[in-house]
Amino acid sequence: NLKENYSCSTKEAVISIISVSENEFNKLGNMRNIFSNILENFDMNTCMITQNLVQTMIRKRKKEIHKGDCGRILLVAGSEGMMGAAVLTCRAALRSGAGLVQLAVSEKLFPIAQTGIPEATCRSKSLSAGDLAVYDAVAIGPGLGVTEESVETVTQILKNYKGKLVLDADGLNIVASDKELLELLRCR
């Protein structure tokens, strides 16, 4: 049984299948059957990402398009000694197609961020509801650290931002350790 062979300690599994064309997927032979069996044996909402599917969802961009038209992302990440996590997160957001990526980080860390990811812009962690309204998505956590300032930033975002939200790493740690924040997250 595949569930037993691929089980993990939490009895949950995450399956990542690299995007391939349908023709390449068909060439996988037995591996295609293994992937199909894995997907059938796990109770998950899944779909196979193929080149055809991607082409129906992501169209070629016009040459004269503005970066702000391709998605505005705010990343609340990084702290002293942990800027690598913020840099990698920003690069991933840009690589995935986000047009405008802003990193909310302590101002003393701006030089590190701007050197590591010159195409992203930096802003302070002081965020009002109006500031947050311009973003299509907000991601919180990688390398953020669990400090009073970080808790306050996460609290303000959970109270004032109604859009798409991704919590990861220290963002999850902060929310998990505070019942008020857990309730704010549940009410979203």
Side-chain angles (χ1 to χ4, degrees):
N1 182 331
L2 283 171
K3 281 186 182 178
E4 292 170 9
N5 293 338
Y6 291 95
S7 65
C8 60
S9 61
T10 61
K11 301 293 182 193
E12 294 177 7
V14 177
I15 300 168
S16 297
I17 299 176
I18 297 171
S19 174
V20 296
S21 71
E22 287 183 41
N23 192 27
E24 291 169 321
F25 184 68
N26 289 331
K27 290 178 186 175
L28 291 174
N30 282 343
M31 289 302 291
R32 179 180 180 179
N33 294 334
I34 290 170
F35 285 133
S36 295
N37 286 337
I38 289 171
L39 294 175
E40 287 171 15
N41 283 291
F42 284 96
D43 184 21
M44 303 167 75
N45 290 327
T46 59
C47 74
M48 181 63 65
I49 298 173
T50 64
Q51 185 174 4
N52 287 343
L53 176 64
V54 171
Q55 287 174 341
T56 64
M57 298 170 70
I58 301 175
R59 305 237 182 313
K60 188 173 182 177
R61 293 182 179 172
K62 297 175 184 174
K63 290 182 182 180
E64 67 278 355
I65 199 164
H66 182 272
K67 65 182 174 181
D69 296 333
C70 299
R72 294 172 181 262
I73 309 296
L74 174 66
L75 302 173
V76 183
S79 60
E80 204 166 325
M82 298 296 290
M83 282 304 293
V87 169
L88 290 172
T89 304
C90 285
R91 285 183 186 166
L94 289 162
R95 178 83 173 143
S96 71
L100 188 129
V101 175
Q102 289 194 310
L103 175 64
V105 68
S106 173
E107 291 183 26
K108 68 181 178 183
L109 299 173
F110 281 13
I112 296 170
Q114 292 173 327
T115 301
I117 33 161
E119 58 271 60
T121 56
C122 295
R123 61 160 302 129
S124 74
K125 289 187 193 178
S126 176
L127 301 159
S128 70
D131 293 333
L132 292 167
V134 301
Y135 298 106
D136 298 304
V138 174
I140 306 169
L144 186 61
V146 181
T147 64
E148 283 185 37
E149 180 189 29
S150 297
V151 172
E152 179 59 31
T153 301
V154 172
T155 302
Q156 290 307 311
I157 292 170
L158 289 177
K159 285 181 177 178
N160 296 314
Y161 183 69
K162 304 303 177 204
K164 295 176 180 125
L165 180 68
V166 176
L167 289 172
D168 186 31
D170 287 331
L172 290 170
N173 292 332
I174 289 168
V175 171
S177 64
D178 187 317
K179 290 183 181 189
E180 179 187 332
L181 293 179
L182 277 171
E183 189 57 34
L184 280 173
L185 190 58
R186 276 192 202 105
C187 293
R188 286 181 55 82

